[in-house]
Amino acid sequence: MTLEVTVRLLDPDYLMMLLLADRSVFCRLCMTTGHMDRAAKKLVNQAHFHSWEANRGGSKKIPKKLSQVEIVPSDILNRNDAFIWFLHRNGIESPSWFPPDWPHGQLI
């Protein structure tokens, strides 16, 4: 399993986390808005999580698409909260170096 974390230098609220099994997405956290929930056919304008359990369709195989979403709890307010929530949601211990020194940028 590999954990991939994406942030945007000029957007301190942006965070996407993927848990990958080989090259397949096991689950994804999107702290972004404006994402289409294909199963419900509606736009999700809140931070959300694509879980393996909700998207596997009764199969033990990793799904090809993560079309169903669940809304992230409202007490998840920043990247640090989201990072810990994602790890705990997937049964992963918090690393000893937490919290990370999130990269940031500035306009020149």
Side-chain angles (χ1 to χ4, degrees):
M1 300 293 275
T2 303
L3 177 63
E4 181 179 299
V5 179
T6 304
V7 298
R8 289 186 179 154
L9 296 179
L10 299 177
D11 184 352
D13 296 326
Y14 186 93
L15 175 67
M16 185 180 306
M17 296 179 66
L18 300 166
L19 190 56
L20 304 168
D22 191 20
R23 291 179 297 182
S24 300
V25 178
F26 183 75
C27 63
R28 181 174 73 225
L29 170 69
C30 303
M31 293 301 289
T32 61
T33 59
H35 179 85
M36 181 57 75
D37 180 338
R38 291 184 202 112
K41 296 182 174 45
K42 66 179 182 179
L43 191 63
V44 178
N45 280 317
Q46 294 172 272
H48 56 279
F49 180 67
H50 300 261
S51 71
W52 176 71
E53 298 90 353
N55 287 281
R56 67 187 179 126
S59 172
K60 292 190 180 205
K61 294 181 180 180
I62 294 175
K64 292 183 180 182
K65 295 181 181 178
L66 298 175
S67 53
Q68 294 197 36
V69 303
E70 62 184 81
I71 301 304
V72 170
S74 60
D75 61 342
I76 307 299
L77 302 175
N78 56 49
R79 287 178 180 167
N80 287 344
D81 293 347
F83 188 85
I84 290 297
W85 180 86
F86 181 90
L87 295 181
H88 290 175
R89 176 71 171 70
N90 288 292
I92 302 169
E93 287 187 35
S94 300
S96 60
W97 47 261
F98 184 82
D101 183 16
W102 297 106
H104 59 280
Q106 61 185 22
L107 293 173
I108 299 176

